DNA sequence: GAACAGGCAACTC
DNA sequence: GAGTTGCCTGTT
């Protein structure tokens, strides 16, 4: 409670380098929620943190050891996003200006896989609801900031369940996909750590071997879970933008090794910028 | 009450 | 290999 009132956080970065609102609201993650005063509370990697903006800086309130051992890496703070440039025309330039400050989080691999399986044919409020229910029913409770939060349940925990155990999530036909994925990960049939280190096409192919994982979800998992910047998920918003502003047979690979970051700028601008008027807040 | 949503799989031709 | 349809559920 007094955390919020006093806001005694540690300075994490300059706002120009890391815009937490854009980063949390650009669709890559589902467990950071804005509270009063624009303070975001999130749980990731089994830990809780609060993040907010004051003047031109970003502050974090978290266990001090966790900041250097977990959050620094989670927020990908060693990478200089400002030095990454694209030469693909004015439209992308506008997207980059608009989305400047977005960072691609280094999320837990299993959490990203599970979350993006849930995301299919679904909207963000509902995705968040399903994930929160999943965590509160099967995750571990942790207390932080005077409340009880829940970690994301391990693949092992979910692998031990049956599809009907997930009925309270009301995630429909996705339930069996989640269980299948959890079993593949927990048995080692699908090794996400190895996929994070191997080449892009191999990773996509392996991810798509899971039931319920197609092109879109595989690319989301590659980009947001494996932190493979070649990931280039094309959903309905990206499809519209590519059709309207890019050449007919545009190949994302032409954007270079950070194509996935370009994707995120384009997506964020198309969906939330002047022509976006998305159905969610922002 | 039907159509649809930030997909996928199974099936058709 | 391109096109169609069912799938759970919540929202419009």
């Amino acid at each position: 409670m007094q955390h919020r009132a006093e806001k005694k956080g540690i300075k994490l970065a300059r706002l120009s380098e890391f815009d937490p609102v854009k980063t949390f609201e650009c669709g890559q993650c589902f467990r950071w929620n804005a509270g009063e005063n624009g303070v975001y509370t999130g749980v990731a990697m089994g830990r809780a943190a609060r993040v907010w903006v004051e003047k031109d800086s970003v502050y974090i309130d978290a266990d001090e050891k966790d900041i250097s051992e977990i959050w620094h890496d989670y927020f990908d703070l060693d990478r200089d996003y400002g030095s990454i440039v694209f030469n693909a025309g004015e439209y992308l330039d506008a997207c980059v200006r608009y989305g400047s400050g977005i960072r691609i989080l280094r999320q837990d691999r299993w959490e990203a896989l599970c979350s993006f399986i849930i995301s299919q044919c679904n909207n963000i409020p509902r995705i968040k609801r399903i994930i929160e229910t999943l965590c509160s029913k099967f995750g571990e409770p942790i207390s932080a900031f005077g409340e009880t939060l829940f970690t994301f349940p391990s693949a092992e925990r979910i692998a031990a369940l049956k599809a009907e155990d997930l009925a309270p999530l009301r995630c429909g036909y996705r339930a069996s996909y989640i269980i299948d994925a959890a079993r593949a990960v927990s048995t080692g049939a699908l090794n996400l750590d190895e996929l994070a280190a191997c080449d892009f096409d191999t990773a996509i192919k392996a991810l798509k071997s899971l039931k319920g994982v197609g092109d879109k979800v595989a690319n989301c998992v590659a980009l947001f879970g494996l932190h493979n910047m070649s990931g280039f998920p094309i959903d309905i918003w990206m499809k519209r933008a590519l059709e309207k502003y890019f050449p007919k047979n545009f190949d994302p690979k032409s954007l270079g090794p950070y194509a996935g970051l370009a994707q995120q700028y384009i997506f964020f601008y198309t969906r939330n910028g002047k022509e976006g008027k998305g159905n969610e807040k922002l």
Side-chain angles (χ1 to χ4, degrees):
Chain A
M1 302 290 119
Q2 70 251 52
H3 292 268
R4 198 160 48 224
E6 291 175 26
K7 281 188 171 180
K8 47 171 193 173
I10 290 174
K11 190 170 159 181
L12 199 59
R14 286 201 301 263
L15 180 58
S16 58
E17 301 166 323
F18 170 28
D19 186 320
V21 178
K22 291 179 191 171
T23 298
F24 294 149
E25 304 287 357
C26 71
Q28 65 174 313
C29 57
F30 303 101
R31 299 206 70 206
W32 287 92
N33 296 304
E36 39 199 289
N37 312 327
V39 176
Y40 277 85
T41 303
V43 179
M45 326 301 285
R47 296 287 202 277
R50 279 191 165 157
V51 172
W52 66 91
V53 174
E54 245 173 89
K55 290 189 184 149
D56 59 354
S57 294
V58 183
Y59 290 82
I60 184 168
D61 182 359
D63 184 280
E64 205 174 322
K65 216 171 98 190
D66 289 348
I67 294 175
S68 57
E69 291 183 1
I70 292 176
W71 300 113
H72 184 89
D73 192 45
Y74 178 82
F75 292 120
D76 199 25
L77 292 178
D78 283 334
R79 194 188 303 279
D80 179 9
Y81 281 67
S83 69
I84 301 169
V85 291
F86 304 100
N87 282 304
E90 269 179 42
Y91 185 75
L92 181 53
D93 290 346
C95 295
V96 172
R97 280 195 300 278
Y98 183 82
S100 164
I102 288 179
R103 305 185 78 82
I104 307 293
L105 301 172
R106 289 181 179 271
Q107 301 188 63
D108 176 79
R109 292 165 187 149
W110 154 245
E111 176 175 340
L113 171 60
C114 187
S115 297
F116 283 99
I117 286 174
I118 290 169
S119 80
Q120 71 177 251
C121 209
N122 224 333
N123 56 59
I124 288 174
R126 185 171 164 223
I127 298 166
K128 288 181 128 183
R129 239 182 357 257
I130 292 171
I131 292 174
E132 282 321 303
T133 308
L134 176 74
C135 294
S136 64
K137 290 199 78 72
F138 304 110
E140 301 293 329
I142 52 174
S143 37
F145 315 113
E147 51 185 325
T148 300
L149 303 170
F150 291 90
T151 64
F152 196 92
S154 67
E156 288 72 22
R157 176 80 177 92
I158 301 303
L161 303 173
K162 294 198 266 311
E164 54 256 43
D165 297 323
L166 297 183
L169 311 192
R170 311 196 63 71
C171 65
Y173 61 89
R174 301 164 192 82
S176 64
Y177 298 160
I178 294 170
I179 306 273
D180 284 353
R183 291 188 181 155
V185 170
S186 66
T187 60
L190 187 81
N191 187 326
L192 293 173
D193 298 333
E194 273 176 18
L195 293 189
C198 78
D199 72 281
F200 179 68
D201 293 337
T202 307
I204 291 290
K205 199 173 159 203
L207 290 168
K208 282 174 71 172
S209 73
L210 295 173
K211 248 174 134 34
V213 177
D215 256 317
K216 158 71 164 63
V217 172
N219 273 273
C220 284
V221 176
L223 180 58
F224 305 129
L226 306 181
H227 211 264
N228 187 322
M229 295 278 197
S230 296
F232 200 89
I234 298 175
D235 63 2
I236 183 76
W237 296 91
M238 279 305 291
K239 204 166 157 235
R240 284 176 200 154
L242 291 177
E243 277 169 5
K244 200 164 171 188
Y245 298 104
F246 290 80
K248 252 203 176 59
N249 288 314
F250 174 74
D251 182 2
K253 284 186 173 137
S254 67
L255 291 170
Y258 290 99
L261 179 61
Q263 184 278 347
Q264 207 53 17
Y265 288 136
I266 297 166
F267 173 81
F268 186 63
Y269 182 70
T270 305
R271 191 162 182 284
N272 297 307
K274 55 180 172 191
E275 52 188 304
K277 58 174 180 210
N279 48 0
E280 269 80 48
K281 55 202 171 173
L282 269 190

